[in-house]
Each structure stands twice: as structure tokens, then as C-alpha cells.
Amino acid sequence: MTRSPDPRDYDLDGLRVRVMAEHGGTVDDSIPQLAAADPDLCGLALVLTDGTLLASAQADVRFSVQSAVKPFLFALALLDTRGDALDLIGIEPTGEAFDAIKLETGTGRPPNPMVNAGALLTAALVDGDDVEARNDRILRGLSAFAAQDLEVDEGVARSEHLLGDRNHALAHLMRAEGTLGVGADDAVAVYARACAVLVDARALAVMGATLACGGVNPVSGERVVPADVARDVVSVMATCGVYDGSGRWMRGVGIPAKSSVSGGIVLSTPGVLGGAVISPPLDEQGTSVRGRLACEALSAELDLHVFGSLAA
Ligand code: GLN
């Protein structure tokens, strides 16, 4: 059995050049700010469990986190409700798009925390009596995951709130089912602002690494969430993180991940590393095309597939 290659020796810039040769996919146009993204942006970062950061060119270019925030909203909801969030949200994959207007049959709960219905609810479950307090709680919580003070793109937050018709529909549906305890518009406002938090690949990789380290941020040393919360979150990333592409992702890449419409992907391999890729053009399931290629290569070349090694 060969020893796994050391990620410290890995040529992330070389990988970036290799995936830049791919020109497939379409940049999301759900809001003007995302439609204006540079299709040639491509950045990669890895953070090891000892806090070592490896970054390619453009790993410091900021983008709105979008759905890559969902694992961290779930973590904060689990923390702030002392686990009750697990009774209020399902954890089964949907086989449907991220914004499907669908709740769990029989219970009216969101199907899982990685689709929009679930994230609208997790964002509503964090501590805070009103929209502003929950916004603050989320920004502080995300900043602890990232080991830096994160900021919100207010223009993106406004667009998401104004143009997120399907999110408004989901919030109203959950109100009708009795599964959303805050006002529908308030729920959309908080979720929209969470999606508009700015990160770069480095910050997002630190966030993934915090989950990979059982909830302890390897850069700041801070315990952000308990180990059981981190494990629950990574489990649901593994089964639901890439929406209706989660099965194909798990087979081909084998690293728990969360995709997003901005083209960011956050990765978390427990006990090994966290990572992030940003490249805006997306495939039909809303996954970054170059991001997938990069993750397939990372998995194969660093022997990261959680379900087994093909190394001789
Ligand atoms: N802000 C987006 C939305 O709710 C996030 C979706 C995503 O990244 N898949 O529509």
C-alpha cells in the first residue's frame, strides 16, 4: 500500500491551469450581480488540519457564498436549538433541484437543510428575536468558521430578497404547514443576507476545514461547534450537498461538499482537510463545471475519496 501523497506538495496552480482548459457551463443569471460574474475566475484553496493553507492564483477573489452557506447555517441552527433542528428538518436527499417547491410528505418539514426550504428554516432557527439579531448572529457565526470578519454584499442581499420568488413561495408554504415560526418575509430576508456573505476560496476552505476538524477552527483554534454538530453537518453534506447530483458526486469525487450558484464549492474531509473552489460556470445541477473537475482531480491525486483508495 503506498502512502497517501502529501497535500503540502500539491501543485494547486498547476491544477488551476488544467481545469481552465474547460469552457463548458453557464453562469447563473438569477440576479444581476451573479450574471455579471467573470466566467474565467478560478481559484482553489485547501486548509489542512494543522491550519496550513495552500492556495492557487485567484483564491483571494471574493464572491457571494450563496448555497455554500447552507452547511454552516445548519450547524448554527443545531447549536442554537441544542439539536432540536434535527426534529424540525428532514435529512433525506430529494433528487430534485435546490429550489423545488416541495416539503416532506406527511410532516410539512423541509426535506433537508441543503435545499432552499431547509436553509430558510435553519436561518430562522438561529438565536435572535428579530431579523437584525439573526443577521448578526449568522455573520458572527460564519466569521468564526472562517477565522476572519466576513462582510455582506448589500446589493446581492437586496437582489436575493427582491427577486427570490421561489424562496418567498417556500417560506409561505412552510408558514401554511406550521413549520416556519417566523414571518415569511423575515425568513427570506435573513436567508438572502446569509447567501450574500462575501468569501474567497481561502476563507471558504477554512470554513470547510473547521467542519473537518470536528468543529474546531484549525486557524484560530476556536471551538466553533461541538463535534457531534460537525459530524451531523458533514453527513448531510455527503448525502444532500450537491442536490440531485449528490449520488454522482459521491461516487466520482467522494468528498462531502456543498455547491452554490456563484460557482463556489466547499469541501470537508473529516480528519484530513477542508477545501474550496470558485469558478462561476455551472452544469445543469448548479455545480461549478471546473469545480467538479478540480475536485475529481484532487480526490484522485490526493487520494481523498472517503469510501476507499484506488492507490495500489
Ligand atoms: N441565493 C440562491 C437562492 O436561494 C442560492 C441558491 C444556490 O446557491 N443554489 O436561490
Side-chain angles (χ1 to χ4, degrees):
M1 181 103 177
T2 53
R3 218 164 41 86
S4 289
D6 189 339
R8 287 173 188 79
D9 302 330
Y10 194 80
D11 180 8
L12 272 184
D13 276 312
L15 175 59
R16 179 176 177 276
V17 169
R18 280 189 277 154
V19 300
M20 283 301 287
E22 166 65 48
H23 292 286
T26 319
V27 174
D28 179 81
D29 62 358
S30 60
I31 60 170
Q33 292 89 343
L34 288 175
D38 174 7
D40 287 327
L41 165 63
C42 186
L44 302 114
L46 298 175
V47 174
L48 311 185
T49 51
D50 66 358
T52 303
L53 171 90
L54 300 132
S56 75
Q58 294 195 304
D60 56 354
V61 176
R62 293 202 298 177
F63 56 94
S64 59
V65 65
Q66 298 294 339
S67 284
V69 79
K70 288 169 175 167
F72 307 99
L73 292 179
F74 182 36
L76 296 175
L78 286 169
L79 182 65
D80 289 357
T81 63
R82 291 174 185 76
D84 286 354
L86 277 174
D87 298 326
L88 304 171
I89 309 168
I91 52 167
E92 299 302 334
T94 62
E96 298 195 52
F98 68 94
D99 56 355
I101 310 291
K102 205 162 164 214
L103 301 177
E104 201 176 63
T105 313
T107 66
R109 304 185 308 177
N112 70 62
M114 302 297 139
V115 292
N116 285 17
L120 283 157
L121 184 52
T122 53
L125 288 173
V126 301
D127 281 343
D129 292 337
D130 55 20
V131 167
E132 207 180 318
R134 287 195 290 278
N135 284 341
D136 284 350
R137 163 69 184 129
I138 289 170
L139 195 57
R140 270 190 295 111
L142 299 178
S143 297
F145 271 109
Q148 60 181 270
D149 288 334
L150 299 175
E151 294 172 357
V152 173
D153 183 323
E154 299 294 347
V156 170
R158 261 193 309 278
S159 295
E160 295 278 349
H161 188 187
L162 276 173
L163 302 174
D165 288 328
R166 298 183 72 84
N167 291 331
H168 286 277
L170 283 166
H172 282 287
L173 196 57
M174 287 192 282
R175 288 289 303 169
E177 292 289 340
T179 44
L180 179 65
V182 306
D185 191 63
D186 286 359
V188 177
V190 174
Y191 167 67
R193 207 156 190 279
C195 288
V197 168
L198 292 167
V199 291
D200 57 15
R202 295 165 184 253
L204 194 55
V206 176
M207 296 171 78
T210 301
L211 291 175
C213 293
V216 176
N217 188 315
V219 174
S220 67
E222 180 186 353
R223 172 162 292 285
V224 182
V225 289
D228 61 331
V229 167
R231 194 174 75 171
D232 284 345
V233 171
V234 178
S235 302
V236 179
M237 284 168 75
T239 50
C240 308
V242 190
Y243 311 122
D244 44 341
S246 296
R248 188 164 71 101
W249 179 274
M250 216 48 208
R251 178 194 165 271
V253 178
I255 304 173
K258 182 74 210 77
S259 56
S260 76
V261 286
S262 48
I265 299 177
V266 59
L267 303 168
S268 186
T269 303
V272 182
L273 52 75
V277 186
I278 172 67
S279 173
L282 308 176
D283 67 15
E284 319 73 56
Q285 280 137 355
T287 309
S288 167
V289 172
R290 290 193 195 105
R292 169 188 287 280
L293 288 176
C295 292
E296 283 170 356
L298 282 169
S299 174
E301 292 161 20
L302 286 175
D303 204 10
L304 292 175
H305 200 301
V306 293
F307 294 125
S309 173
L310 297 182

